[in-house]
Amino acid sequence: MKTLDHISHIYFIGIGGIGMSALARYFHAAGKEVAGYDKTPSQITRSLEELGIRISYQDTLEAIPAEFKVLDKTLVVYTPAVPKAHTAYQFYLTEGFQIKKRAEVLGWLTQEKFCFAVAGTHGKTTTSAMLGHLMAFCELPMTAFLGGIAENYQSNLIQQGEEIVVVEADEFDRSFMQLFPNIAAITSMDADHLDIYGDAEALQKSFRDFAAQVKEDGVLFVKNGLPLDGITVGVEDHSAYAALNVKIENGAYHFDLKHPDGLIEDLVLNLPGRHNLSNATTALAMALHYGCPADKLAKALFAFKGVNRRFTYRIKKENEVLIDDYAHHPAEINAVHSAVREMYPNKRVLAVFQPHLFSRTRDFMEEFAASLAQFDELLLLDIYPAREEPIEGVTSEKLLELIPLTRKEVISKAQLEEKLQASKATIKVMMGAGDIGEEILKLTKTLAV
């Protein structure tokens, strides 16, 4: 890429973020020197360190390797989640280094390529991972930057060529406005990120603006029912691309895919949840439109193992099931609940939820209460602040008050193991976008014994 030919070193501030780490992997594979900072060690940072990428967990100038302080050879990439007062960020800013948001760099990387982009407040990670997997299975020269760890590849980067790029188009901070895709999809437009957008209409406008950036000869796929012009995708409806004759056999969906040129029969999806059926239909529509052969797509879909922390089974025994999910919005919690009830009818279900962001908890307090009330038992952790300071009156205790369940309580992370073991529920679901993912990995080791 011409823009980066003179750059030999790339420093990531917030390298452990899911989108940031995919870029770090990409540049490392391209032969650039890569290093970075993150707040705490995680499974992602450990996997980067195994590649030889240096990561510091101290916010000091001394922690930045000397070779990443050379002005004309270093590019700095940061995530908006990092506070502006961050020492490294301020150093690079003051010294006049080239500093770019992750979204801008992703925009650069897609400029000269055939770009597939998947947007949506929910579903974009699984759909883009499915699409990347389908394209890889069809042996196309593509790179996929994902917002989650695809289980088939144990990575958020799928790399087997440079001509095609598959990206997850993130609406947070209007990041997706850096992209000009050839083929795009919008999976959902539920209100979210109101700390950025202010209201639901501003968020919807942002999606309309993104849709307008699809290239003139390009194609936009939209979930049926969204207020957008595009080729419709749906499940058991009259969409241009639709999953029909849906059946569940041995925990998997069997369905036919209707498309403008005919019908692909008896496709199998090994992921639970109707929302994943919608995601699969979208990914298939995009790949089919591009020209991937139907027989290969059928084999690829059957082989798709899912995305880490998207209805991931951590324990799956007859009398004990532990499910791990990234759900952090009421609509996502509803989707998880629906999938659990479909797969495990008449079973007692315990939900553990870690709210993510004070602003999101405040903005959707009643919706969170309604979605969480659908479970049989509930354990709430404290709100994970991420980039935010506390907001007065916005607490997990306040949320708990609104939930009409008998068996419910707010607990600390230290109490998790004891409370999970004490519960008589056969099915346990742990949800959230904070550090609950790390807690689940610890718990799995002790509970599975």
Side-chain angles (χ1 to χ4, degrees):
M1 197 174 75
K2 290 175 191 166
T3 337
L4 293 180
D5 281 352
H6 66 292
I7 296 292
S8 55
H9 291 67
I10 304 178
Y11 192 81
F12 288 83
I13 306 175
I15 197 167
I18 195 71
M20 292 281 277
S21 57
L23 277 178
R25 287 177 189 277
Y26 175 82
F27 285 121
H28 174 76
K32 305 285 187 189
E33 289 293 323
V34 176
Y37 160 88
D38 210 82
K39 203 173 178 180
T40 50
S42 66
Q43 206 174 6
I44 288 175
T45 59
R46 287 189 284 274
S47 67
L48 293 177
E49 286 172 321
E50 283 167 14
L51 292 174
I53 293 171
R54 286 172 285 173
I55 301 175
S56 162
Y57 303 97
Q58 282 83 42
D59 179 21
T60 62
L61 286 184
E62 294 72 33
I64 304 171
E67 60 269 39
F68 289 85
K69 294 177 181 173
V70 180
L71 185 66
D72 59 346
K73 291 188 176 178
T74 305
L75 170 69
V76 181
V77 185
Y78 76 99
T79 166
V82 169
K84 294 290 184 283
H86 189 277
T87 306
Y89 177 82
Q90 282 300 324
F91 164 75
Y92 283 122
L93 191 67
T94 308
E95 296 296 320
F97 279 75
Q98 190 174 12
I99 305 177
K100 296 290 177 188
K101 283 185 185 176
R102 178 191 68 87
E104 291 179 87
V105 178
L106 201 54
W108 279 355
L109 293 176
T110 62
Q111 269 173 14
E112 307 299 321
K113 317 282 171 67
F114 190 98
C115 177
F116 287 83
V118 180
T121 42
H122 328 294
K124 60 181 174 288
T125 298
T126 301
T127 305
S128 55
M130 280 180 179
L131 178 60
H133 171 72
L134 296 176
M135 306 293 276
F137 207 92
C138 291
E139 299 174 345
L140 292 165
M142 52 72 66
T143 296
F145 294 94
L146 309 175
I149 304 296
E151 297 284 8
N152 293 71
Y153 307 89
Q154 287 303 306
S155 179
N156 50 356
L157 181 72
I158 307 172
Q159 216 172 1
Q160 60 178 41
E162 293 283 342
E163 289 173 34
I164 301 164
V165 182
V166 174
V167 295
E168 179 174 323
D170 191 1
E171 76 281 359
F172 172 74
D173 204 28
R174 296 179 173 83
S175 292
F176 57 11
M177 297 308 292
Q178 302 287 339
L179 301 170
F180 296 87
N182 300 83
I183 298 179
I186 296 177
T187 61
S188 53
M189 286 166 47
D190 293 308
D192 197 7
H193 304 301
L194 299 187
D195 55 322
I196 301 289
Y197 287 99
D199 59 33
E201 171 49 36
L203 176 74
Q204 293 211 350
K205 181 184 182 302
S206 192
F207 276 103
R208 290 194 296 272
D209 291 344
F210 168 72
Q213 296 200 164
V214 174
K215 288 183 177 160
E216 207 170 306
D217 57 349
V219 177
L220 174 68
F221 291 92
V222 298
K223 185 179 180 182
N224 198 7
L226 292 181
L228 293 165
D229 292 328
I231 298 173
T232 53
V233 177
V235 176
E236 295 186 310
D237 62 14
H238 300 293
S239 299
Y241 290 78
L244 302 177
N245 308 317
V246 179
K247 303 185 295 289
I248 295 178
E249 293 176 15
N250 301 320
Y253 286 113
H254 289 247
F255 66 101
D256 301 333
L257 180 73
K258 182 198 84 174
H259 59 93
D261 298 320
L263 191 74
I264 304 173
E265 295 183 336
D266 201 28
L267 290 162
V268 182
L269 173 67
N270 288 302
L271 298 188
R274 303 281 286 194
H275 59 296
N276 280 324
L277 203 49
S278 178
N279 295 335
T281 306
T282 305
L284 287 165
M286 296 173 85
L288 202 58
H289 180 85
Y290 184 76
C292 291
D295 59 334
K296 280 201 170 181
L297 290 177
K299 287 176 187 168
L301 186 70
F302 178 76
F304 184 68
K305 295 177 185 174
V307 178
N308 185 44
R309 301 214 61 229
R310 292 343 186 251
F311 212 93
T312 300
Y313 287 100
R314 297 296 177 194
I315 299 171
K316 195 176 185 183
K317 301 177 185 171
E318 197 167 327
N319 61 347
E320 185 182 23
V321 173
L322 179 64
I323 295 162
D324 176 8
D325 199 277
Y326 189 70
H328 56 284
H329 183 282
E332 294 165 349
I333 295 170
N334 288 337
V336 170
H337 175 263
S338 172
V340 168
R341 296 298 187 195
E342 189 175 44
M343 293 295 154
Y344 300 100
N346 309 317
K347 296 279 189 181
R348 188 167 187 82
V349 184
L350 163 72
V352 181
F353 180 57
Q354 181 188 48
H356 185 262
L357 297 180
F358 294 101
S359 60
R360 183 183 282 121
T361 308
R362 175 200 63 203
D363 293 340
F364 301 104
M365 187 78 78
E366 290 181 8
E367 291 89 340
F368 274 122
S371 63
L372 293 166
Q374 299 171 100
F375 296 92
D376 302 306
E377 303 174 24
L378 175 67
L379 299 174
L380 270 185
L381 294 171
D382 285 334
I383 297 169
Y384 185 79
R387 57 188 178 270
E388 293 185 340
E389 294 299 320
I391 297 172
E392 193 176 340
V394 181
T395 62
S396 288
E397 286 76 11
K398 176 74 174 169
L399 174 57
L400 194 78
E401 286 172 19
L402 299 176
I403 300 168
L405 279 178
T406 309
R407 299 178 68 86
K408 62 175 183 178
E409 61 180 311
V410 175
I411 64 164
S412 67
K413 285 185 282 193
Q415 296 174 281
L416 264 172
E417 185 182 337
E418 172 203 337
K419 296 291 183 182
L420 283 174
Q421 286 180 328
S423 171
K424 298 285 193 292
T426 313
I427 316 299
K428 299 175 175 79
V429 185
M430 297 181 67
M431 299 175 288
D435 58 3
I436 190 170
E438 291 290 311
E439 294 298 321
I440 293 165
L441 296 179
K442 295 178 204 166
L443 286 165
T444 303
K445 290 173 186 169
T446 53
L447 294 176
V449 174

